[in-house]
Amino acid sequence: MTEPTHMAPKLRVLLTAEQIQTRIRELAAQIDADYPEGTLLLVCILKGACFFLSDLARALKRDVRLDFMGISSYGMGKSTSGEVKVTKDLDATVEGSDVLIVEDIVDSGVTLNYLMHLLKQRRPRSVHIAALLDKPQRRRRPVHVSYVGFQIPDQFVVGYGLDDAERYRNLPDICVVEEE
Ligand code: PRP
């Protein structure tokens, strides 16, 4: 019998599903307290942030709208190519809205640096970033992340939306891929 993916031997759990959910509830409480009355537009960056968006949105007590943006700079590789590509634009206008970009991870900062410039040109009332994971050691471009779930060391992680060549996104935990 083939071993299920979740039991793959080269994965080590870094953050459990429970730790992730606890931290998301804390972030949601902080976001609810920080924003004035009104609707918050959550912009999910596909594909990796889909689970974070889903859990964060449900933990927030305020009114939210959801929109999705496809933006890719990695292809099938493990590190950024440095070239950012918008693969799917937002459906709605962001002009005059409070926008919160929801990302799974900030690594080099190339993606979010680009995205912040792009969205600011569209005249939102405000635009901030919530990122579940941050690898500050890897930064090549400056990015201000208002809400960080966890700072993690410079290790390749998968699960809870994060992939290795499209694999492992559905793991409930965040795991380090150990070198064989
Ligand atoms: C990952 C991640 C961020 C970006 C972060 O996306 O979801 O968007 O890389 O890296 P950076 O800070 O070095 O720019 P990826 O391009 O792998 O797409 P995916 O979310 O569809 O897997």
Side-chain angles (χ1 to χ4, degrees):
M1 208 172 84
T2 346
E3 276 200 331
T5 310
H6 294 53
M7 303 295 284
K10 57 177 183 161
L11 300 182
R12 175 174 56 81
V13 175
L14 180 69
L15 297 164
T16 65
E18 199 183 336
Q19 287 175 303
I20 295 167
Q21 295 306 322
T22 301
R23 185 67 186 126
I24 289 175
R25 284 195 292 274
E26 290 170 359
L27 290 178
Q30 205 184 329
I31 293 165
D32 273 329
D34 286 354
Y35 279 87
E37 290 287 305
T39 304
L40 180 61
L41 175 61
L42 300 179
V43 170
C44 173
I45 309 307
L46 299 169
K47 301 172 192 166
C50 64
F51 298 103
F52 180 37
L53 171 89
S54 158
D55 288 333
L56 181 67
R58 286 179 293 175
L60 287 167
K61 296 199 169 29
R62 63 178 36 258
D63 190 32
V64 298
R65 283 193 295 139
L66 308 180
D67 209 338
F68 298 83
M69 194 163 198
I71 179 160
S72 181
S73 65
Y74 273 39
M76 295 293 274
K78 282 192 169 71
S79 63
T80 183
S81 62
E83 200 179 304
V84 180
K85 194 167 76 174
V86 174
T87 55
K88 182 213 170 297
D89 208 339
L90 297 173
D91 291 334
T93 173
V94 302
E95 193 170 344
S97 299
D98 287 315
V99 175
L100 184 63
I101 299 171
V102 179
E103 253 296 19
D104 52 348
I105 188 164
V106 195
D107 192 295
S108 70
V110 167
T111 304
L112 282 172
N113 180 284
Y114 172 87
L115 193 60
M116 279 300 263
H117 283 105
L118 186 77
L119 291 186
K120 278 180 180 170
Q121 284 168 8
R122 299 182 184 184
R123 301 175 186 280
R125 183 159 68 176
S126 69
V127 56
H128 293 278
I129 297 168
L132 183 63
L133 304 177
D134 182 16
K135 281 184 184 173
Q137 287 165 285
R138 301 263 302 174
R139 204 71 92 248
R140 280 166 38 197
R141 302 271 165 82
V143 177
H144 176 67
V145 185
S146 302
Y147 305 97
V148 178
F150 303 91
Q151 286 201 343
I152 60 166
D154 182 12
Q155 288 173 314
F156 191 72
V157 287
V158 296
Y160 198 71
L162 294 140
D163 72 309
D164 182 0
E166 294 302 323
R167 211 175 154 201
Y168 302 127
R169 287 197 199 271
N170 62 326
L171 296 180
D173 305 318
I174 291 174
C175 301
V176 175
V177 181
E178 308 256 71
E179 296 297 329
E180 284 183 276

